[in-house]
Amino acid sequence: GTTTAYSWGATIASSNANYNNTIGQTTDVGQYAANPWGFFDMHGNVWEWTADRYGNYSTGNPVIDPTGSASGSIRVLRGGSWSNDVPIVRSANRNFYTPSYGNNSSGFRVGFQQQ
């Protein structure tokens, strides 16, 4: 729904997100303003695991909601973390590991669809 690098615009500042080792650790969710869809901390804080498998994206521009390979055990993390700098904290940037990987800069978001 946006055309900029970040949900709030084209540039980032320490008032927008926890990144670039400014705080030096993760912060509680909600320390920064929500994005236009009501989600907090989608940039920085922790890399977020996704259900997407890592692999080459299909061709096309723009690729909307790519899911990666149809099979495989490597999964995608997005959003960067508290220790990453620009432009890594863009949600378009992706990292990848096996699901057994863990550290102090990766996590997941619990979500549900309200009926």
Side-chain angles (χ1 to χ4, degrees):
T2 63
T3 58
T4 57
Y6 307 98
S7 59
W8 55 78
T11 61
I12 188 171
S14 60
S15 59
N16 299 120
N18 181 13
Y19 74 105
N20 198 24
N21 212 13
T22 303
I23 297 173
Q25 63 185 16
T26 59
T27 58
D28 291 340
V29 172
Q31 301 298 309
Y32 302 91
N35 68 16
W37 302 276
F39 297 111
F40 292 91
D41 302 328
M42 298 303 289
H43 303 281
N45 210 26
V46 295
W47 284 96
E48 291 191 17
W49 287 101
T50 71
D52 299 344
R53 290 183 177 91
Y54 185 78
N56 293 329
Y57 288 157
S58 59
T59 58
N61 192 12
V63 177
I64 298 172
D65 196 19
T67 58
S69 298
S71 63
S73 62
I74 307 293
R75 298 294 177 146
V76 172
L77 296 98
R78 290 195 180 271
S81 81
W82 57 270
S83 65
N84 296 124
D85 196 5
V86 184
I88 293 175
V89 295
R90 295 178 61 229
S91 57
N93 187 47
R94 60 186 181 148
N95 203 345
F96 57 94
Y97 290 102
T98 59
S100 62
Y101 175 79
N103 65 20
N104 67 350
S105 63
S106 59
F108 62 94
R109 183 175 300 265
V110 176
F112 69 97
Q113 183 175 359
Q114 189 170 354
Q115 299 284 331

